Amino acid sequence: MKKGLPGTAFMVSCSVILASCSSVDMQHASPPDEALPSVAYRVPKSAEVSENQRVVSPSHAASVCRRQLECLAPSFSIIMDYGDSCRGSVSQHMSALAEDMLESGLAVAVSMESRGKKITFTPVYSDCMLMLRAFHEPSFRRTLPPAYQQALNKAVDIVNQVCERYRSDYERAVALHDYLALHCRYDADLGAAAQADATSKLLLEGRAVCDGYAHAYGMLLSMAGIENRFVIGKGDGIEHIWNLVKLDNQWVHVDVTYDDPKPDKNGRVLHSYFGIPDSLIANNHSWNRLEVPTANADKLYYPFYRGYHFSTVRDLLTWASGNRQGHDWNLTVVVDELRTLRSDAAIYRRVNDAVRYVGSFQLSSIAIDDGLPGTIYCTFSD
């Protein structure tokens, strides 16, 4: 387990929308369907939310249900015309469809009712999806509870500020990641159950577990025009959710939950899990790789992208002494010589030996992530 990093909790979450961003406002028009990722909120069309649609195979049923969810349909029905030709009872097919809908991330809960071969589904959507619909459809905004409207206003302000300050998707994604880590604390009292209001709780109350971090980050990224989706799996063996983000036309993992120190520390945010590829995050995360795109862009991993990758601790300290950035300077780095050390004590000894050797610069503390060999979080001070 990581030292000083938050634990994990589970939340089925939404795969989110691609929108455009220069300056974001509530009158923003929905982009054409071809600009959207494969799973996204879509403006409903009558044919897409029709009642009692007949389905002829399990894959057809799953596709119809997914499309209904993408439209945020409050309730919809299908008629199974394939039950006699497929294995399993109607209840088994119902359960499989409900599980698929939850795994799609577009709903946090689904209730079902069957009458013969007719199945009616009533999803419960996260506030993230409802706010994203209001973002694309201003007329839908008045249907939101006041808290959701307030949270959406705050989200728009955050994205506007980030888009105005930063030009590249990478910088914007970092800035949104940092905002959430700096303005939220991991609150285990919220529990691990699915929460439909996880995003608004984070934005308005500054507290969340993994579902809140992932929902809020995904929504902000989408509003900033950055394609993303959620990964549902396990972190350190516990059910967990995090983000998959498309930067420089390549997919990378971002886990804001793991980058927010626990207990919370003002002004501190880690970048150990920003832009991380499959090969590294797999050290302590697991997921169904068939369900999400491959992320193998090592060069987009934050320490590599920023140039915070060193052969030895002495190299790190020598570099830091010539690049001072304020009284308390915090950064996430990768040091190759630490990768082979198997104990925290050995790492501390190696770092202390280097500090004594260099002698001219004050490394006041480090945080070690057991899941990422060679990655440490450094604090420098006078």
Side-chain angles (χ1 to χ4, degrees):
M1 288 292 291
K2 299 168 299 305
K3 293 164 180 59
L5 303 185
T8 55
F10 175 71
M11 173 66 179
V12 175
S13 178
C14 58
S15 295
V16 291
I17 302 169
L18 176 64
S20 66
C21 174
S22 291
S23 179
V24 181
D25 60 69
M26 291 308 301
Q27 301 302 315
H28 178 78
S30 179
D33 280 356
E34 59 267 24
L36 295 170
S38 58
V39 178
Y41 164 68
R42 301 172 190 272
V43 177
K45 299 176 183 177
S46 58
E48 293 169 351
V49 293
S50 61
E51 280 289 316
N52 303 329
Q53 185 164 349
R54 293 184 177 275
V55 294
V56 296
S57 69
S59 61
H60 184 208
S63 176
V64 169
C65 290
R66 182 72 62 91
R67 192 69 176 182
Q68 300 282 357
L69 291 179
E70 290 170 355
C71 298
L72 300 186
S75 180
F76 57 91
S77 300
I78 62 173
I79 297 176
M80 296 173 58
D81 278 349
Y82 62 85
D84 295 337
S85 61
C86 293
R87 294 180 180 178
S89 64
V90 170
S91 62
Q92 289 175 320
H93 289 297
M94 288 172 59
S95 297
L97 288 170
E99 183 176 355
D100 179 74
M101 284 189 276
L102 291 175
E103 289 181 351
S104 76
L106 293 167
V108 298
V110 180
S111 62
M112 302 172 290
E113 181 182 0
S114 66
R115 293 187 178 181
K117 292 186 176 181
K118 179 180 178 180
I119 307 171
T120 300
F121 298 95
T122 304
V124 176
Y125 298 101
S126 70
D127 57 350
C128 169
M129 289 303 298
L130 297 174
M131 286 188 281
L132 280 170
R133 175 171 179 177
F135 174 72
H136 284 276
E137 296 181 74
S139 61
F140 184 74
R141 178 184 171 86
R142 63 176 176 269
T143 70
L144 298 179
Y148 291 8
Q149 296 188 37
Q150 186 181 353
L152 179 56
N153 286 339
K154 188 167 185 177
V156 170
D157 288 342
I158 293 166
V159 173
N160 274 335
Q161 292 174 29
V162 166
C163 288
E164 184 175 337
R165 182 172 181 182
Y166 301 100
R167 306 318 307 168
S168 74
D169 283 351
Y170 194 97
E171 297 298 335
R172 289 173 176 176
V174 171
L176 294 172
H177 163 282
D178 292 357
Y179 179 90
L180 295 179
L182 291 170
H183 291 83
C184 183
R185 63 181 176 85
Y186 187 91
D187 187 354
D189 291 340
L190 290 173
Q195 297 179 29
D197 59 352
T199 302
S200 53
K201 267 191 169 62
L202 184 150
L203 291 172
L204 300 180
E205 301 176 16
R207 59 196 187 104
V209 290
C210 66
D211 61 313
Y213 286 97
H215 277 203
Y217 191 52
M219 185 179 78
L220 295 176
L221 287 171
S222 297
M223 293 169 65
I226 301 172
E227 187 175 348
N228 68 98
R229 60 183 299 170
F230 293 113
V231 185
I232 299 172
K234 292 186 177 182
D236 290 307
I238 302 172
E239 290 177 324
H240 185 48
I241 182 170
W242 63 97
N243 302 80
L244 199 67
V245 185
K246 200 169 192 179
L247 300 173
D248 293 347
N249 207 35
Q250 298 181 84
W251 289 101
V252 294
H253 297 269
V254 179
D255 193 335
V256 185
T257 306
Y258 269 52
D259 275 343
D260 193 5
K262 180 184 177 182
D264 199 62
K265 297 181 180 179
N266 289 335
R268 292 197 178 186
V269 52
L270 286 70
H271 297 92
S272 303
Y273 291 85
F274 185 94
I276 191 169
D278 288 347
S279 58
L280 291 181
I281 198 170
N283 286 327
N284 55 10
H285 288 56
S286 60
W287 67 99
N288 185 342
R289 299 197 184 200
L290 298 178
E291 293 181 348
V292 299
T294 299
N296 54 14
D298 289 1
K299 66 180 181 180
L300 296 178
Y301 183 37
Y302 185 90
F304 297 165
Y305 189 87
R306 295 295 198 200
Y308 300 156
H309 179 203
F310 304 92
S311 296
T312 68
V313 180
R314 291 183 184 181
D315 291 339
L316 162 64
L317 297 177
T318 301
W319 172 85
S321 65
N323 291 273
R324 191 57 185 271
Q325 297 184 9
H327 177 67
D328 284 326
W329 182 25
N330 307 303
L331 70 160
T332 301
V333 303
V334 172
V335 182
D336 290 337
E337 73 167 327
L338 300 181
R339 293 188 184 210
T340 59
L341 302 181
R342 299 305 179 190
S343 71
D344 295 349
I347 293 173
Y348 289 128
R349 282 196 301 270
R350 187 67 57 86
V351 172
N352 286 331
D353 288 345
V355 169
R356 283 194 294 269
Y357 179 85
V358 174
S360 61
F361 199 73
Q362 181 69 33
L363 175 61
S364 60
S365 67
I366 65 170
I368 301 169
D369 189 325
D370 293 340
L372 297 174
T375 301
I376 57 174
Y377 179 73
C378 304
T379 300
F380 297 97
S381 60
D382 292 329

